[in-house]
Amino acid sequence: MKRVFHFIGTAAEGNAGMKNELGGKGANLAEMARIGIPVPPGFTITAQTCLEFYENDKKMPAGLMDEVFKNLEMVERELGLKLGDAKKPLLVSVRSGARVSMPGMMDTVLNLGLNDETVKGLAEMSGNERFAWDCYRRFIQMFGDVVLNVRPSKEEEDPFEIIIDRKKKEKGITDDTEFAVEDMKELVVEFKKLVKEKTGRDFPTDPKVQLEDAIKAVFDSWNNERAIKYRQINGIPDDWGTAVNVQAMVYGNMGDDSATGVAFTRDPATGEKKFFGEYLTNAQGEDVVAGIRTPQPINKASKTDPSQISLEEAFPEVYNELVDVYQTLEKHYRDMQDMEFTIQKKRLFLLQTRTGKRTGFASVRIAYEMVQEGLITKDEAIKRIDPYGLTQFLAPIFDANDIKKAKSEDRFLAKGLNASPGAATGQVVFFADDAGKYPKSVLVRIETSPEDIGGMNIAQGILTARGGMTSHAAVVARGMGKPCVAGCGELDISYKDRQMKVKGKTIKEGDFISIDGTTGEIYDGQIVVKPSEVVQVFVEKTLKADSAPNAKMFSEILEWADGVRKLGVRTNADTPRDSSVARAFGAEGIGLCRTEHMFFGGDRISAVREMIVSDSVEQRKKALAKLLPMQRSDFEGIFEVMNGLPVIIRLLDPPLHEFLPHTDKEIEELAKDMGIDAGKLKAKVASLKELNPMMGHRGCRLGISYPEITEMQARAIFEAACNVKKKGIDVIPEVMVPLVGHVKEYVNQRGIIEAAAKEIIDREKVELKYMIGTMIEVPRAALTADEIAKEAEFFSFGTNDLTQMTCGFSRDDAGKFLVGYVEKKIYKKDPFASLDQEGVGKLMKIAVDLGKKANAKLEVGICGEHGGDPDSVKFCHRIGMDYVSCSPYRVPLARLAAAQAVLQEK
Amino acid sequence: MKRVFHFIGTAAEGNAGMKNELGGKGANLAEMARIGIPVPPGFTITAQTCLEFYENDKKMPAGLMDEVFKNLEMVERELGLKLGDAKKPLLVSVRSGARVSMPGMMDTVLNLGLNDETVKGLAEMSGNERFAWDCYRRFIQMFGDVVLNVRPSKEEEDPFEIIIDRKKKEKGITDDTEFAVEDMKELVVEFKKLVKEKTGRDFPTDPKVQLEDAIKAVFDSWNNERAIKYRQINGIPDDWGTAVNVQAMVYGNMGDDSATGVAFTRDPATGEKKFFGEYLTNAQGEDVVAGIRTPQPINKASKTDPSQISLEEAFPEVYNELVDVYQTLEKHYRDMQDMEFTIQKKRLFLLQTRTGKRTGFASVRIAYEMVQEGLITKDEAIKRIDPYGLTQFLAPIFDANDIKKAKSEDRFLAKGLNASPGAATGQVVFFADDAGKYPKSVLVRIETSPEDIGGMNIAQGILTARGGMTSHAAVVARGMGKPCVAGCGELDISYKDRQMKVKGKTIKEGDFISIDGTTGEIYDGQIVVKPSEVVQVFVEKTLKADSAPNAKMFSEILEWADGVRKLGVRTNADTPRDSSVARAFGAEGIGLCRTEHMFFGGDRISAVREMIVSDSVEQRKKALAKLLPMQRSDFEGIFEVMNGLPVIIRLLDPPLHEFLPHTDKEIEELAKDMGIDAGKLKAKVASLKELNPMMGHRGCRLGISYPEITEMQARAIFEAACNVKKKGIDVIPEVMVPLVGHVKEYVNQRGIIEAAAKEIIDREKVELKYMIGTMIEVPRAALTADEIAKEAEFFSFGTNDLTQMTCGFSRDDAGKFLVGYVEKKIYKKDPFASLDQEGVGKLMKIAVDLGKKANAKLEVGICGEHGGDPDSVKFCHRIGMDYVSCSPYRVPLARLAAAQAVLQEK
């Protein structure tokens, strides 16, 4: 079995397809060599050799070092240098490199090959004695740590650093850079003494021994504690092993004709097709990262200050060579590349190339433009785009310069959770009812509740002190496409004083603040906000697509996605406005229309409360009769907007106490308004109180206790449908029964709905197709999905509640421990944000399989928050669902994710 | 295909094994005839014919009536009577009879064969003209209703009754019995006129036509609305059909030499082997049921009053014949029989026999004594015993005479739920802390909470105004084997005034009341109570088994059951006392020891609270260090009692706020006691408040947030185990992690437990076997049981929580709708009382299968309340569990049910 693959000049034995053998770094080094990119010569020992090493009881496999030295000789020949040669010493780096990047987890040794002889050769070759000795003392320190285990225990200080500190004191200096050559030489002596003391042996002077020991050490580091932990957390198999890259050292710090830098073939922030990067003269790779000196821009075009000296100006020839290189690489890899390069005495070397990380927005633009350039196919583009990148096209944005200004004026206040993207600026109000007081307001609450919906709708944005990514505020804001920063614990809000304290400042009602739901940042005062291009074009229709390149890109990409995806995409919308926004973003129907959100308006809440406090069925029916025309007109509005697309309407879901006030004062006021006894109303409120309302008297349980509620809602739906149909607009109402756990609950409710439908359709003499179905949100419903599917025409997974009940987490309370759970990697992600596929998902799969087997015509969708999460959308595709439904602003994301799901299957 | 099976004399074509063809009634009539019991001759048309009738578009199958008339002739020959004969008319009854009894659901026609001619023959034969005409007018009414559909709609009055009422007014009488013969004749005329009006046809005078129409009508009634509904509710298949029994009429109302009655071969209330029954002279079957006249006892032995005239005295010869009959029947059927008989002119006829219903207690005694008599095998006895009958052997009892006295003195107050059987009498206290104030107290609360445990333990019984069969009070009381009446809504309790109002009486603290947890009845004042024999023998050991026949019976039956069952039976016990009671009842280990119940004592609750309000890990550890020795000594006590039997200890489960007070006043007092700031304590209490505590920060989530709690508990367990082991007593501790949903939660906690175990066992140098396992109570755990089983040594289903989360019911709140659900038969039984096998059970089966497949050594048990429910125990057996665990007083029931499960499988 071949264990070593060299890359020397353009003669490379490996290639980019050999990541499993050579690791990511090794495979790309070989590939670059192969296509003529200048890389320092070297070779890669396969990851399989690492496994052999372990199987062989951590001994080097027989013959390995022979193979290593044979390849080493080829490198020496190529460079005219020799490992251990006193005049022309070859130095090498020994680096780990697994199949996937495990940054910082495993070990590296640089400058290997130095000893008291070769250091002199290096000094001569480089013409820089100090450089050579600095390399030497660094090598001993690094090799001592990594290979010889001369490292501090937890409580100790690094013994090498102790020596350095002592030396600094002796010399009266504070910085390493102030050491003279002689100091370096003394350090080398002391370091070697330290190694002898700690290990009982002399520091190895034979570079071949150094090399063998270093390779062993890298193999060993595959199973160090932190690497094992990292693999566990990230699900990387232990039996992959790591490759080892041995490569000739090159130096960017050999003088002013040397340099080092990083570059991206396109702008990773914006996706713009421009060469982008930075470099430092006379420096090593670490210096760029460490940020001690300010790097310079790579070319004239990206200079922001005339005093900067770009690589293009300082090293014009090398720059041109680098441009060739980057163009070659991008074309070759057909994706944006992130490169590390070193210039040693005006000679360019590439040390690494890999697919560059980018923002979501950039992922969209790069993929789109690469299709235009003919570099990739549309399918490839779809695969590469971060679905969240598309949502960034929808959010209003702060003017970047104004943000800079605010920061410089110390107006940055705090950072919370970026719960719903977009920028909002306005006057602070602490009560939903006050949202209309100012032309533009930002609603600030400790947390929000359903009563606040009206105010949330009016406000520019929402800021809360408590609650996570799936708190009421976050969910509703995302649904509205409204900026929201949630759970900002630094806010000290006093409702009484109508003010909040943060960062030592007191902000009162009426003061301006600005919140950025994309970043979670909060600023004092106003910052200029503008709606996104896409919203201007498709929703506000104030801009033409022709003059809006972002909007054009956005809609074209979604068209490509639509050509691929199999999942339908619907929306969760409760109003004609939401429905119309969702249609603008491509929704193919409404997957969830929550009727209870319609119950909070002025007249309505009164009628609802009257219904709740009723003593008899008759009284209740009377109150419901008041609600009926209002509900009917709500539905008419939505049906008209949806114009022939299916609309799923969910019957009343929340427990009744959500509609009643809870403080004594509020109750007394309400009693007065209603003309009833305050004591009686208090008793009613108390009787409706529940210990665990999430699992209490709600959903279809209400409709079973009070069939007249279901009947009223069914009548409103079918009367509305008939009225709209009579106007010549097609309507497909689908009535959904919530919180079903037992098929008999569903059958009970279906009976009421069917009776109302039949009566009204007969009376109105209208041809109307409709469906009746159920939420699947109680685990029992999923487990008995076969029984339910025999009676229901559709299922819609309510994965918010299904997650709560399957995992036994109350969404309202889990904040206390769920953050810790995700930190401890008990769950990979917050299961309310992204489906817990192994647990909740398993139950969903059971339900889909049972349901479709029992009823081949069954339509299955999802209407929980997860319908707008890309991983969850893909999961829904994989388990054979028919559609997902999500908030209007997530519709584009879902369309793309659904297409990705298809492509990932291939 | 033979459609008609006759029974004439001893010549019967059917037998008791043909219930599927002949229905229960028909099969038993044939069987009785076959063994020489006098039954009026007749024949049965098979249920399959009923199905033919429906397949044939509700037309009589060709040839059926020929077969009917052929059999009818045989009946006529036997009796010397003839259907339609003017002199010697045969009258018949036409009755439905399905495979299982569907009481009152289908139709019956009596006295068929009467017309204007035959009525005269009947008058002559019976020598009683009024009787004949009364039969005739009743026949027209019944036939009119059942066969001719002359019946009122919902809003109408019965048209026949209108005629009768009018006639009464005319005659100036108030009761049917006052009608003269002429009146009857007039009624007949008017009834026939009514039929003509309503149906447009004459009332059929041809008895053969009457017969065919009546048979059709009975077939028809299989699919009447109420029969369909009954079948749906009771899970009876629609394709069983009903048989039709046509039988010669006999009359107990032909004069004083005639009679009718019902009898049981043993006492159905006590099980005593004595002939038991009652009869009425010159009466029909309905009269006994209707209770218009007081029935007389069947024999001299059962007379309670010398003025009574028993059947033995009035009809000595018939009585002797009946004694022969009952003995024959019981021997033949090998079970206690419930018989209906009629004496027509001193001639005995049996009209029905069936296995008699009995109380649970009687089921035990009858089965036991039948084994002694050699009538049945032990296995048969086990199968027949109602497991709840055994629990009745454990409950204290009220003296029956004293109860009578109390009722006569109008001391009956109200009836609640019979939540935990047994009788208690004592002085009322309204606060748990007052339970010790009086020698014998009854704790009366609106509802109870964990803080009340101490007082509940002291009180004789518990009475609550709120809460169902699985409320805290009910569950704890059953666990303690203490009488409890729960959810008695009629109580109007005022804690402030320390009094309650009920039935117009005011009962103050210190007043005596008596509660019967077996019946749910509540009495004013004292009633004499005595402990059951079984408790005196096995628990109190104040009585010898030899002189306690009930105790002997009880323990022998359980020995039989132990010989059969495969499931282990453990107990849920938190104290040495409970553990020792459970062992006396045969528990084979502890399946659930709840550590939190140990946290409420005086010193302990202080330390617990100190732990909760700690600001740092250090403070928390200090408080936990105080708890450790107390927990350790608790465990030592339990380990000693269990003496080598396994003991599962569950780590802390409830949310921390359960240990803190909630009113401002209590918090202030506690803050003072603890020497901390009241504001700080209030803030702590507020921060621990949860919207849905059931799904909040509890179970292993606490142990993950505060690993030091788990560590303290693990140390207490292993130190206790080592200490007890050193005394030479064997110990098998099994540590159980609660509320696991994800395998990583379990692995996290197991790490802490194992570390503590290893350290202590090493330190103490003791050989100790132990196990670590987990509750399966979160649906996600059940769904991923394979992953968990790879890490855990045992599973214990916590079916209380598993039911809550799978069905989405909060046990505390579901009372509001769950009663209605069971009434509407959405769930067959309260899923908290008896496992919801189709839903929760399906999930359990998934978990057992996944778990045992992943880990063949995995031990699987149940420790929810369901472990003490017979149907649930059987289900646990069927899905392959290893043991059930239940409260000590349910252990006997579980042992029996486990044996029944084995026998039912055969």
Side-chain angles (χ1 to χ4, degrees), chain A residues 504-526:
Chain A
K505 295 187 185 179
T506 299
I507 293 175
K508 293 184 182 304
E509 185 188 302
D511 290 351
F512 277 95
I513 61 167
S514 300
I515 62 171
D516 190 336
T518 312
T519 61
E521 291 176 340
I522 307 161
Y523 295 90
D524 193 3
Q526 297 187 67

Side-chain angles (χ1 to χ4, degrees), chain B residues 251-253 258-262 278-288 295 311 340-343 351:
Chain B
Y251 300 94
N253 55 346
S258 299
T260 189
V262 295
E278 50 192 25
Y279 81 106
L280 273 175
T281 305
N282 195 12
Q284 278 195 315
E286 298 94 88
D287 301 331
V288 182
L311 188 75
E340 287 176 25
F341 63 89
T342 284
I343 299 167
L351 296 183

Side-chain angles (χ1 to χ4, degrees), chain B residues 138-433:
Chain B
R138 282 177 198 270
F139 168 61
I140 298 173
Q141 186 171 354
M142 202 174 225
F143 193 93
D145 172 359
V146 169
V147 182
L148 304 175
N149 286 311
V150 180
R151 62 183 68 158
S153 71
K154 265 183 194 167
E155 286 80 25
E156 293 169 350
E157 260 185 278
D158 185 329
F160 292 105
E161 293 297 332
I162 293 172
I163 294 172
I164 293 173
D165 287 347
R166 197 172 51 217
K167 179 72 65 191
K168 280 187 197 162
K169 267 189 206 146
E170 269 175 41
K171 304 285 167 183
I173 60 174
T174 57
D175 202 280
D176 289 15
T177 54
E178 297 171 69
F179 281 131
V181 176
E182 289 313 307
D183 300 332
M184 302 283 193
K185 288 182 179 173
E186 287 168 26
L187 280 176
V188 165
V189 172
E190 290 184 47
F191 280 8
K192 288 203 282 192
K193 213 177 114 198
L194 172 70
V195 168
K196 179 84 192 264
E197 275 169 29
K198 294 270 178 186
T199 66
R201 280 188 296 166
D202 286 322
F203 188 86
T205 53
D206 181 348
K208 288 197 171 174
V209 173
Q210 292 173 359
L211 181 58
E212 181 168 354
D213 287 353
I215 293 169
K216 263 192 203 167
V218 172
F219 283 157
D220 252 334
S221 70
W222 174 252
N223 275 337
N224 72 33
E225 218 175 289
R226 62 181 194 277
I228 291 173
K229 204 154 207 172
Y230 184 91
R231 288 201 297 275
Q232 276 178 354
I233 290 171
N234 292 280
I236 300 172
D238 288 335
D239 64 358
W240 278 3
T242 181
V244 181
N245 298 293
V246 179
Q247 195 176 15
M249 290 291 299
V250 288
Y251 300 94
N253 55 346
M254 269 199 178
D256 289 340
D257 54 356
S258 299
T260 189
V262 295
F264 292 86
T265 60
R266 305 194 182 208
D267 186 334
T270 66
E272 196 183 344
K273 185 175 163 70
K274 65 172 187 197
F275 188 39
F276 179 91
E278 50 192 25
Y279 81 106
L280 273 175
T281 305
N282 195 12
Q284 278 195 315
E286 298 94 88
D287 301 331
V288 182
V289 180
I292 300 166
R293 281 153 62 198
T294 308
Q296 299 292 308
I298 206 134
N299 51 20
K300 285 185 274 186
S302 36
K303 281 169 71 172
T304 53
D305 183 332
S307 73
Q308 292 172 328
I309 301 164
S310 69
L311 188 75
E312 191 176 6
E313 292 157 303
F315 295 80
E317 279 168 28
V318 177
Y319 176 75
N320 286 340
E321 200 186 339
L322 187 60
V323 167
D324 280 350
V325 163
Y326 98 73
Q327 287 171 344
T328 305
L329 282 176
E330 194 180 85
K331 240 181 225 145
H332 185 73
Y333 281 100
R334 300 163 59 255
D335 203 350
M336 188 264 270
Q337 294 296 299
D338 165 2
M339 305 164 298
E340 287 176 25
F341 63 89
T342 284
I343 299 167
Q344 178 179 309
K345 295 186 180 286
K346 295 208 174 172
R347 193 165 159 203
L348 177 69
F349 294 97
L350 269 287
L351 296 183
Q352 174 147 314
T353 190
R354 56 185 171 188
T355 300
K357 288 208 158 60
R358 62 206 78 182
T359 64
F361 189 95
S363 82
V364 179
R365 180 160 176 183
I366 291 171
Y368 178 78
E369 291 184 349
M370 283 189 172
V371 172
Q372 309 302 315
E373 294 160 20
L375 208 56
I376 60 172
T377 65
K378 289 173 185 173
D379 281 0
E380 280 175 303
I382 290 169
K383 277 200 268 187
R384 287 186 190 175
I385 292 172
D386 174 4
Y388 285 104
L390 285 177
T391 64
Q392 290 177 15
F393 280 71
L394 307 179
I397 44 180
F398 279 135
D399 185 273
N401 289 324
D402 220 31
I403 280 282
K404 266 189 205 158
K405 189 163 155 267
K407 281 188 174 163
S408 72
E409 291 166 1
D410 201 26
R411 281 161 46 204
F412 172 73
L413 291 178
K415 195 167 174 178
L417 295 170
N418 51 345
S420 177
T425 197
Q427 282 164 283
V428 169
V429 295
F430 293 98
F431 298 93
D433 290 346

Side-chain angles (χ1 to χ4, degrees), chain B residues 106-117:
Chain B
M106 291 181 295
D107 289 330
T108 290
V109 179
L110 301 180
N111 300 317
L112 187 139
L114 283 171
N115 57 28
D116 292 352
E117 302 303 313

Side-chain angles (χ1 to χ4, degrees), chain A residues 539-672:
Chain A
V539 180
E540 302 186 351
K541 303 201 164 85
T542 50
L543 191 68
K544 292 244 160 118
D546 307 340
S547 54
N550 279 347
K552 186 163 174 282
M553 195 190 306
F554 175 84
S555 70
E556 269 188 48
I557 286 169
L558 286 173
E559 273 167 35
W560 303 344
D562 289 348
V564 171
R565 70 181 161 95
K566 290 176 184 161
L567 268 182
V569 177
R570 296 191 184 186
T571 191
N572 302 347
D574 309 336
T575 62
R577 158 83 192 162
D578 282 355
S579 310
S580 128
V581 170
R583 283 208 68 171
F585 292 154
E588 298 160 322
I590 290 181
L592 175 64
C593 170
R594 284 154 294 209
T595 51
E596 58 270 17
H597 286 182
M598 305 169 176
F599 280 9
F600 283 99
D603 284 357
R604 294 160 180 226
I605 189 76
S606 304
V608 171
R609 286 166 170 177
E610 199 182 314
M611 184 264 288
I612 294 171
V613 301
S614 296
D615 286 326
S616 68
V617 176
E618 295 321 308
Q619 271 187 36
R620 200 152 42 236
K621 281 189 175 171
K622 228 176 96 191
L624 286 164
K626 293 184 194 166
L627 279 170
L628 192 143
M630 308 183 205
Q631 283 250 295
R632 187 175 54 216
S633 91
D634 293 329
F635 296 142
E636 284 172 3
I638 292 170
F639 288 150
E640 284 176 20
V641 170
M642 294 313 287
N643 190 11
L645 295 179
V647 176
I648 294 187
I649 294 167
R650 180 177 72 182
L651 301 179
L652 187 68
D653 185 52
L656 298 181
H657 54 75
E658 284 200 7
F659 299 99
L660 293 180
H662 289 97
T663 69
D664 278 0
K665 208 182 144 212
E666 286 170 324
I667 295 172
E668 280 157 23
E669 277 171 20
L670 178 62
K672 216 170 136 194

Side-chain angles (χ1 to χ4, degrees), chain A residues 86-89 118-129 131-132 345:
Chain A
K87 292 283 174 198
K88 297 209 153 200
T118 57
V119 68
K120 291 173 195 154
L122 181 64
E124 204 160 302
M125 264 170 42
S126 65
N128 188 335
E129 194 181 11
F131 158 75
K345 295 186 178 290

